[in-house]
Each structure stands twice: as structure tokens, then as C-alpha cells.
Amino acid sequence: MEVANESTAKKPKRLTSVVWNHFERVKKADICYAVCVHCNKKLSGSSNSGTTHLRNHLMRCLKRSNYDVSQLLAVKRRKKENTLTIANISYDEGQRKEDYMKPTIVKYEQDQRKDEAFNLGSSWFDPERSRLDLARMIILHGYPLAMVEHVGFKVFVKNMQPLFDVVHNSTIELSCVEIYMKEKQRIYDMLSKLQGRINLAIEMWSSPENSKYVCLTAHYVDDEWKLQKKILNFLTLDSSHTEDMLSDVIIKCLMDWDIDCKLFSMTFDDCSTNDDIVLRIKDQISESRPRLSNGQLLDVRSAAHVLNSIAQDAIEALQVVIQKIRGSVKYVKSSQSILGKFNEIAQQQGINNHKIVVLDYPIRWNSTYMMLETAVEYRNVFHHLPELDPDFALSDEEWKRASSIVSYLKLLIEIINVFSSNKCPTANIYFPEICHVHIQLIEWCKSSDAFLSSLATKMKAKFDKYWSKCSLGLAVAAILDPRFKMKLVEYYYSQIYGSTALERIKEASDGIKEFFNAYSICSTLIDQGSALPGSSLPSSSNDTRDKLKGFDKFLHETSQSQTAISDLEKYLDEPMFPRNCDFNILNWWRVHTPRYPILSMMARDVLGTPMSTVAQEFAFNAGGRILDSNQSSLPPDTRQALICTRDWLRTQSDDATPSSSHYALPLYVEAN
């Protein structure tokens, strides 16, 4: 019969055996029982009964049959084992004897298979897998390799899993390189099977020690019509490196990855990059590359970088005014009483603005814009602040110029945000934004203020250099947007070029036709078995085979010209697709591939071109992209392995769990 008022008795201090971790001691009347927490069987729990019968029950308990308690129960809890010491930090196990059970030490024989796992408790422990998991964690989150030597980390790991031998710094470095080599082979195999072509983005980095690096990133549209990017190399440039050597570095990387024959475009982050670099690369890969439209589609410059550069010109021109405003803001924010006086004057002036004056962070030029924008709105308040240092006072002309520069910077910020925040930055999104900047620069140059017109002329000269290289590529990408086609080019060119607009429109039309014809010839060769999908477009090299270099074009024009051209003409003649905010251009081309088989091949390569290479975290960084001291101190091969693998692993992680950022870049610090 069950006894009423059954209560759980507190364990006396003498119940120190590990067996009691598996039993609950209860008391009915004057009798103590030990109730198995796994199967609820009641055994004698009297202090005079010992624990042998409890041990025997655990060995036979069916609910514990998958648990290797024979080792756990064989542990002798000797006092000298009660303390875990790591690097002069002790963990007093005696403080929680009831909560901690030290597992049996299992010897790992050298001749055991690496993938053999230990059965510890109710889980399996694989030291090899744990070592690689640790390496992946370090890579994925950018942790320093030296963390494995940190005392706190060692204590945490030993208490979590005593069987895991914490590895040394050099060992975890080898594990990271091992993962890199495995992932690199996977990326290599994937690129070799890619049907489309590859666009290469080339970005320059530096370190606090002024070391120079080059980051090569492949952009492409995969076979599922998804825009992808992979960092292929992060190379350390020798101190004696010159710009002439950069082309050799790039070509070697292309050869190593075996993608030179698949190269479609190269995007440089700096408009001032020496054109000879591009020409040398073109010459060396010309045997497997076409020369279309004078190579304009091959040589691309980053749109966001040119906008950043002209924004810097504006800020530099206004430097004296900015220094005065910065001093005024510092004064207002120097004490609560002055800030209170400032707000009181603002109310008296009828300024009901909830914005507060802010200081800028000079190496983030968008913060300088915010400071200027707010200051311009409070200009009358600064003027009526009696205690303000006269050196900080601005004339009406200076306030007017500051207001104009604010409008310049606002436009640039809005457009850069469009580029950097887009999760799928296909090439078609850039043309209307860049054209809008072009039109505004033309207007700014007409300013009656000599200061502003001179500044606008300088900005436009820099922009024109970019436009001359990239306008055709931007236009072709826009034409391949079924919502706009040729109409968008006609609309903007009429505003930009005025009386010469028709000539420029014809250049864009001829450019896309020439481009399309090259793809049509390539398609003919594929149909005849002379080329493989994803291989290069027809060559313009001068080897012995070039005796027949015009034959392929002749064959195309005489046999399939009408069919091929009708593919492009059909696309241009059909009604434009309705504009909506949910439009996915890659999905549109995927669906319409059967209708436009050749044009869709071209669209995939063009739309995958990175017209801008800046990630959101670098969008307004005036100090350049700089590695942190942790990564810059690593050996070059290890640094490349960590940065590349981090990008690859984060991409896999993003596929499983969508991330707010499409870009996976090296860690950076901002320059002072």
C-alpha cells in the first residue's frame, strides 16, 4: 500500500557516491528508498545498505542499456583528482560534488582510425571532428588563431569535454589550411562545370603597417540563375611590387583556377588604375577571348568607388567651412548649459526640428554629410549664439556653399545606398542611377557660383573618365532589362547628349548587336560540336588557325543569321514587361530561356557583371579597406586560406539561413 505524504528527503552530506546521480532518495514513514531516475524502480536507500546493489541495478537497467555506465561507475574519486589545473588556474571540483561527474579517461591509440569515435555517456565523441569544428568556428567568425592558447578557452573546453585535447596554435592553423584545401577543390570543381562565364572583381587592400594586398573575387550567375560570388585569392603583394606586376599576378590566379578561358569581364575598384594593366591581361588571354566593342565590356570600373571619389572632392573643397562647422558643433556639445541655450534660441527662431547637432567621424564621409545637413538647418541658431567663438562664424556665402554641397552629397549617398544595400546587385540596376548623376553633374557645372561650378567641373572630369569606360556595359545591361529595353537608353541619352543623342543611341544599339552576334557564332560552334558550353567566345588571336578566322562568322551570316538576329529583334520588338517592386530579372530570364536561347546566354553573363564592388560596410569609408592587425600579422598563405574559406563557409551558412548581407569580406579597420 502506498504511504501518504510521501516526501523527498534531502541528501545527507555523506551521500557522495556518483551512484546517487542516478537515484532519488525518498522517505516513506521511517523507511528510505532509492528510486532510479531512469526506470523509477525502488531499491533500498538506507544508509546501512551501501551502494553495491544500486551499482548492480544501473548495470542491468534497460533504460540505461545504451549508456556505458560501467566506466562511469568504475571511477575512483580520489582527492588528487578533485582538482583540474590548467595554466595555474584551478577548478575546485569539491565545490559541486553532486553536480560534476568526472568521466573515465579513455586512451586514444595512434593506430586507431581517425574517424573512430568514443562512446562517452549517451553521446559519441569524435576528437577529429571536434578539432575540425573548432577550426571552422575560428574561420567562420574571424577569431584569432591564438584563442586556442587562451586560458579561459582551455578551462571551458576541459570542463565541457575532458577528452578533448586542446590543440596548439600551430595545429589549429594546419587544420584551417586543411579545410581551405578541401573547400578550394570543391569551388574549383564547381567553377569547371559552370555553364556561364565568370566576372572578376579586383580590389586593393592595405594594412596598418602599409602592406598591400589584392583580393580577387569571382562573380557569376549559376546554373540555377542565382547571382553568386566567391573570393578566389587574397594575395600579399611584395614590397617591391609595381603596377606592372599586377597583371602577372592576376593572370597567374586565373590560370591556377583554370578560368582564363571563361573570363567575361574585370572590374577594378579604382578608376585611376593603369590602363596598361588591363591591356596586358587582354593580350595574354586573347587566344581564348573575343574583343568585343573595343573591349569596353571587359574593362569595368566600380560605380560606387567613382561616386565615393567625387564625394571626397566635394568635401575637400569645403574643408575650411567644414572645420568651422565642426568647431561650432563641438562648442554647442561641450556642456549641457550651452546645449540648452542653443535649443532655446532654436525655439525662438521658430525651428521645430527634432534633429540634434552631431559631430562627424571624418573617415566616414556620410557622417560629415549628416553634420553639415543638420548645421545648415540650424544656421540662424549658430548666428545668434553670442558666446560662439568668432573664428567659427560662417559668412552667408559660406552657408550657401555648404547648403549646395549638402545637396550634392545627399544625391551621392542615396545612390550608393541603392548599390550597396541591394542583395542581388545585377548589372541592370546601375544605368538609371549613374545617368541621373551624369545629368546632375551637367547642371551643377552651370552654377553661377564660380566656386561651385569649378568644383562640379572637377567632379565631372573624374566621372567622364569612368563613363567613357563603362557606359556601353551599363547600357547593354539596361537593354537586357525587359522592363526598359532600348527605351531607357533613349530617355537618358536624350537628356545627357542633347543634339548628338541619336548617334550615342546608335552606338549602344550597334554594341549589343555586335555582342549578340558573337554569342550567336559561339552557339553555332556548340551546335556543331566545335565548342563547349561555357567556353570562350570566338577568338581573335593570330595563330596559324586564323587563316579561317572569318569562316565561322561567314558560316553564321549565311546559314543562321536570320534565325539568330530574330532572337534579339524579337526581344526588342515585344512589349516591355510591367514594372513592379518584386521583379526578379534573373528569374525572368530563367523562365524565358526557351524563348530566347542565345540572348539568355548573353544576359546571364552581362547581368552577373559586378558594376560596383563595394560592400555596405565600406560604402562611405574614406580611409580605404584595411585589414585588422590580427589578420595582417598572419603568414601570407594562412591569411589567404582564412579569408577565402571564411567567404566560402559563410556563403554556405547564408544558403541555410539568409543573412542581412550578401557580402562576405575580410575583417577591416578604418584608417585614421
Side-chain angles (χ1 to χ4, degrees):
M1 179 181 294
E2 294 292 325
V3 179
N5 299 324
E6 177 176 315
S7 62
T8 301
K10 293 184 179 180
K11 297 179 182 179
K13 292 184 179 180
R14 63 177 177 274
L15 298 180
T16 59
S17 172
V18 294
V19 172
W20 286 106
N21 286 306
H22 303 274
F23 290 90
E24 184 74 20
R25 199 178 192 214
V26 298
K27 189 174 183 181
K28 294 180 182 179
D30 295 329
I31 303 175
C32 290
Y33 294 91
V35 180
C36 178
V37 297
H38 307 291
C39 66
N40 293 325
K41 184 173 181 178
K42 293 182 180 180
L43 301 171
S44 174
S46 172
S47 59
N48 298 326
S49 301
T51 58
T52 301
H53 65 299
L54 303 181
R55 293 171 182 268
N56 292 337
H57 168 75
L58 283 177
M59 298 296 292
R60 297 189 298 269
C61 181
L62 294 178
K63 295 292 182 68
R64 298 288 293 166
S65 60
N66 66 335
Y67 192 89
D68 190 3
V69 295
S70 59
Q71 294 182 13
L72 296 176
L73 299 178
V75 176
K76 295 182 180 179
R77 299 170 63 86
R78 293 175 296 193
K79 290 184 179 180
K80 65 180 180 180
E81 294 177 342
N82 282 350
T83 302
L84 177 64
T85 303
I86 300 179
N88 298 324
I89 289 186
S90 62
Y91 183 88
D92 189 2
E93 193 180 62
Q95 292 179 354
R96 56 168 196 161
K97 291 183 179 179
E98 297 299 328
D99 299 325
Y100 177 77
M101 179 166 52
K102 186 174 176 25
T104 302
I105 302 300
V106 181
K107 294 183 179 180
Y108 186 78
E109 300 297 337
Q110 293 294 327
D111 58 352
Q112 284 181 288
R113 290 172 50 192
K114 287 186 177 181
D115 59 353
E116 183 177 350
F118 292 114
N119 182 351
L120 175 65
S122 59
S123 62
W124 290 79
F125 172 61
D126 184 348
E128 180 73 6
R129 175 175 177 176
S130 295
R131 177 178 62 83
L132 292 176
D133 284 345
L134 174 59
R136 287 190 186 92
M137 179 189 73
I138 289 174
I139 294 171
L140 186 59
H141 299 290
Y143 298 143
L145 295 174
M147 71 170 289
V148 297
E149 304 286 354
H150 295 171
V151 172
F153 177 75
K154 291 183 178 182
V155 171
F156 171 76
V157 171
K158 278 300 180 184
N159 289 337
M160 179 69 72
Q161 178 48 269
L163 292 181
F164 181 67
D165 291 328
V166 179
V167 296
H168 295 291
N169 192 334
S170 57
T171 303
I172 203 65
E173 181 178 344
L174 292 175
S175 297
C176 291
V177 173
E178 177 185 346
I179 295 172
Y180 164 71
M181 296 304 296
K182 181 179 179 180
E183 291 296 320
K184 182 179 180 181
Q185 184 62 47
R186 184 181 65 82
I187 300 297
Y188 179 91
D189 294 341
M190 181 273 299
L191 292 178
S192 66
K193 299 174 183 177
L194 190 66
Q195 293 295 306
R197 294 175 180 83
I198 291 171
N199 306 281
L200 190 69
I202 301 155
E203 300 173 277
M204 304 304 296
W205 286 69
S206 62
S207 72
E209 299 78 24
N210 292 322
S211 297
K212 302 298 181 183
Y213 314 96
V214 59
C215 179
L216 305 181
T217 307
H219 296 249
Y220 57 92
V221 176
D222 64 19
D223 297 339
E224 299 297 323
W225 286 87
K226 303 292 184 183
L227 187 63
Q228 304 288 353
K229 66 186 292 289
K230 306 286 183 194
I231 295 179
L232 301 182
N233 296 93
F234 195 88
L235 302 171
T236 304
L237 301 178
D238 188 83
S239 57
S240 61
H241 174 83
T242 62
E243 281 196 347
D244 295 342
M245 298 169 59
L246 182 58
S247 58
D248 296 330
V249 171
I250 294 172
I251 292 168
K252 183 179 184 305
C253 291
L254 292 173
M255 299 294 187
D256 289 344
W257 284 96
D258 198 21
I259 58 174
D260 55 302
C261 63
K262 290 190 173 187
L263 186 64
F264 176 76
S265 71
M266 292 183 296
T267 302
F268 292 85
D269 59 357
D270 189 352
C271 284
S272 63
T273 299
N274 194 329
D275 291 342
D276 291 339
I277 295 176
V278 180
L279 292 175
R280 280 193 292 271
I281 296 174
K282 285 183 181 180
D283 289 341
Q284 293 205 36
I285 64 175
S286 61
E287 294 183 0
S288 56
R289 278 282 308 150
R291 294 191 182 188
L292 295 170
S293 305
N294 298 320
Q296 289 191 61
L297 286 175
L298 179 66
D299 182 9
V300 181
R301 304 302 161 98
S302 174
H305 284 81
V306 72
L307 298 185
N308 257 310
S309 181
I310 63 177
Q312 292 299 314
D313 289 342
I315 290 176
E316 182 180 352
L318 200 68
Q319 199 58 240
V320 173
V321 174
I322 291 175
Q323 290 291 352
K324 290 182 178 181
I325 292 177
R326 189 177 290 136
S328 299
V329 173
K330 285 182 179 179
Y331 173 74
V332 169
K333 297 178 71 67
S334 62
S335 71
Q336 286 297 323
S337 60
I338 298 177
L339 182 60
K341 179 67 174 178
F342 182 87
N343 292 331
E344 181 182 339
I345 297 175
Q347 291 180 355
Q348 294 172 359
Q349 293 291 321
I351 301 176
N352 298 318
N353 195 333
H354 296 293
K355 292 182 180 179
I356 60 174
V357 289
V358 292
L359 270 176
D360 66 332
Y361 189 37
I363 65 170
R364 302 285 295 180
W365 66 264
N366 60 327
S367 71
T368 301
Y369 158 76
M370 294 174 63
M371 180 183 73
L372 292 175
E373 181 189 40
T374 307
V376 167
E377 294 179 11
Y378 283 104
R379 57 179 294 183
N380 290 333
V381 182
F382 284 109
H383 180 71
H384 288 87
L385 196 63
E387 300 87 354
L388 184 63
D389 191 323
D391 292 338
F392 298 150
L394 273 70
S395 66
D396 291 340
E397 188 68 21
E398 287 176 321
W399 278 116
K400 180 181 177 182
R401 291 176 179 177
S403 179
S404 297
I405 296 300
V406 164
S407 66
Y408 293 4
L409 297 179
K410 181 179 181 180
L411 171 65
L412 299 178
I413 285 176
E414 289 174 350
I415 293 178
I416 291 176
N417 278 331
V418 171
F419 297 161
S420 62
S421 62
N422 197 304
K423 294 182 180 179
C424 186
T426 47
N428 60 300
I429 70 172
Y430 295 90
F431 181 77
E433 305 293 345
I434 293 298
C435 285
H436 188 54
V437 172
H438 199 166
I439 293 169
Q440 289 301 312
L441 283 169
I442 293 173
E443 291 300 316
W444 294 344
C445 288
K446 299 176 182 178
S447 174
S448 58
D449 187 314
F451 169 82
L452 294 175
S453 61
S454 175
L455 170 61
T457 301
K458 179 182 178 181
M459 296 164 69
K460 189 174 183 300
K462 188 174 291 186
F463 178 87
D464 286 345
K465 183 177 180 181
Y466 162 81
W467 181 256
S468 66
K469 290 182 177 296
C470 302
S471 59
L472 180 59
L474 293 167
V476 169
I479 295 169
L480 291 172
D481 189 326
R483 299 170 298 173
F484 304 117
K485 301 186 180 181
M486 282 297 302
K487 291 299 181 181
L488 193 66
V489 175
E490 295 170 3
Y491 170 74
Y492 278 113
Y493 277 15
S494 63
Q495 299 178 65
I496 293 172
Y497 294 112
S499 59
T500 62
L502 290 179
E503 297 175 15
R504 299 293 186 172
I505 293 170
K506 187 177 184 301
E507 287 178 6
S509 178
D510 291 344
I512 193 171
K513 288 177 182 177
E514 181 182 358
F515 198 18
F516 175 76
N517 288 337
Y519 271 83
S520 299
I521 296 172
C522 183
S523 176
T524 301
L525 296 178
I526 293 173
D527 292 340
Q528 296 174 351
S530 301
L532 297 175
S535 62
S536 65
L537 296 179
S539 170
S540 60
S541 61
N542 296 315
D543 60 17
T544 56
R545 295 183 180 181
D546 273 1
K547 297 173 184 178
L548 299 177
K549 65 180 181 180
F551 177 71
D552 292 327
K553 183 177 180 181
F554 169 79
L555 182 65
H556 165 69
E557 291 175 347
T558 56
S559 62
Q560 298 199 18
S561 176
Q562 296 301 315
T563 302
I565 292 176
S566 66
D567 197 1
L568 175 60
E569 289 182 343
K570 180 169 59 177
Y571 167 78
L572 293 176
D573 290 342
E574 289 179 346
M576 290 184 293
F577 191 81
R579 283 188 290 141
N580 61 76
C581 59
D582 297 326
F583 178 71
N584 185 324
I585 190 170
L586 294 180
N587 186 60
W588 190 94
W589 278 105
R590 179 184 65 82
V591 171
H592 288 80
T593 295
R595 184 170 181 81
Y596 311 110
I598 299 174
L599 195 60
S600 64
M601 292 169 53
M602 188 176 83
R604 177 167 57 187
D605 297 337
V606 172
L607 296 174
T609 303
M611 294 296 181
S612 182
T613 60
V614 66
Q616 193 165 13
E617 58 265 40
F618 299 111
F620 306 102
N621 185 18
R625 285 152 298 184
I626 303 177
L627 283 181
D628 65 11
S629 56
N630 170 51
Q631 290 194 327
S632 63
S633 63
L634 294 170
D637 290 343
T638 302
R639 177 167 48 246
Q640 175 172 247
L642 291 175
I643 290 174
C644 291
T645 313
R646 184 188 183 203
D647 174 58
W648 304 336
L649 294 181
R650 285 183 62 178
T651 302
Q652 296 173 28
S653 176
D654 289 346
D655 290 341
T657 305
S659 171
S660 60
S661 175
H662 177 71
Y663 296 88
L665 297 171
L667 297 177
Y668 78 101
V669 293
E670 295 175 324
N672 293 324

